[in-house]
Amino acid sequence: QQQVKQSPQSLIVQKGGISIINCAYENTAFDYFPWYQQFPGKGPALLIAIRPDVSEKKEGRFTISFNKSAKQFSLHIMDSQPGDSATYFCAARYGSARQLTFGSGTQLTVLP
Amino acid sequence: NAGVTQTPKFQVLKTGQSMTLQCAQDMNHEYMSWYRQDPGMGLRLIHYSVGAGITDQGEVPNGYNVSRSTTEDFPLRLLSAAPSQTSVYFCASSSLTGGGTEAFFGQGTRLTVV
């Protein structure tokens, strides 16, 4: 099963708040879990990524939490800013050809 | 450094017409892929290639054809356009060697089939 399930579909947060987006997967062969950020009219761009042997990775205001036993991972955006308003996709990589399978996306709106 | 370049940015086709979406990358990446993005469905893999002369199907390959004659270029062909192919198409590339794991995406092609 190659699916990655992402929630919520949309999220509205006040400036300075914490945004949390969750993803779950089934395939234990996935070996790399990136998050992509997409602004309107643009292609997705890598935001942050984690490997399954690490439980947490932090880059600035962005943190990935990874729970291997539960097959879940989440993106936390601390001190959310209006400039963070975008669509966020979780993804998981598999295979020697490094195919990515994506979640359905979360549209984040940060109110000023 | 241009990265991944897609052309055209917008296209309107009539049902049954054929066209080619162009994708070029200048990073010498072995892996290239095509995705379609539809509301609420994320990005779904259409076709991918791990090097010149090697292509394979992704999740939603029907109605699309690809070839890879050079490392740089990976065109996507719509053989006979259908309204169900109305979507935003993204090309991506990444390295399969060393520590490279990031997929770089183009700006996308918005295709409408009427």
Side-chain angles (χ1 to χ4, degrees):
Chain A
Q1 180 59 272
Q2 306 298 353
Q3 258 189 328
V4 176
K5 296 183 179 179
Q6 182 172 347
S7 63
Q9 187 173 359
S10 63
L11 181 62
I12 300 175
V13 175
Q14 292 286 341
K15 179 182 176 181
I18 302 173
S19 303
I20 302 175
I21 305 170
N22 300 299
C23 286
Y25 65 95
E26 288 295 326
N27 189 350
T28 56
F30 289 141
D31 64 356
Y32 172 72
F33 299 86
W35 285 88
Y36 282 81
Q37 181 187 55
Q38 184 182 31
F39 293 105
K42 303 293 185 182
L46 181 66
L47 181 65
I48 187 173
I50 197 168
R51 296 188 185 278
D53 54 349
V54 176
S55 60
E56 184 175 281
K57 183 173 182 180
K58 183 176 182 179
E59 291 184 358
R61 296 185 294 109
F62 301 91
T63 300
I64 300 178
S65 297
F66 190 86
N67 186 329
K68 189 173 182 179
S69 60
K71 295 186 223 174
Q72 296 175 345
F73 59 111
S74 59
L75 175 69
H76 296 237
I77 306 175
M78 310 300 288
D79 187 26
S80 298
Q81 299 296 312
D84 296 332
S85 297
T87 301
Y88 292 81
F89 294 97
C90 62
R93 190 185 72 183
Y94 62 97
S96 59
R98 302 188 178 184
Q99 295 98 315
L100 285 173
T101 187
F102 285 84
S104 55
T106 296
Q107 187 166 350
L108 173 65
T109 302
V110 181
L111 301 176
Chain B
N1 191 344
V4 179
T5 302
Q6 290 184 236
T7 56
K9 290 191 187 312
F10 302 94
Q11 183 71 47
V12 179
L13 285 180
K14 293 183 178 180
T15 297
Q17 287 185 317
S18 62
M19 78 159 295
T20 299
L21 280 64
Q22 302 292 344
C23 175
Q25 53 95 6
D26 61 0
M27 297 171 282
N28 202 33
H29 285 163
E30 303 89 347
Y31 183 83
M32 296 186 73
S33 55
W34 278 100
Y35 292 86
R36 60 177 289 171
Q37 183 177 12
D38 302 292
M41 303 190 74
L43 294 103
R44 292 181 293 168
L45 183 63
I46 303 171
H47 285 286
Y48 66 94
S49 168
V50 297
I54 306 170
T55 64
D56 206 347
Q57 296 181 351
E59 180 186 357
V60 288
N62 292 339
Y64 307 95
N65 198 6
V66 293
S67 61
R68 183 106 177 260
S69 57
T70 67
T71 299
E72 296 78 18
D73 300 300
F74 191 45
L76 178 72
R77 298 181 186 85
L78 279 69
L79 309 172
S80 177
S84 61
Q85 294 178 304
T86 293
S87 187
V88 182
Y89 292 85
F90 288 98
C91 178
S93 75
S94 61
S95 174
L96 291 178
T97 59
T101 52
E102 179 177 356
F104 294 85
F105 284 82
Q107 298 278 352
T109 296
R110 184 174 293 275
L111 175 68
T112 302
V113 182
V114 298

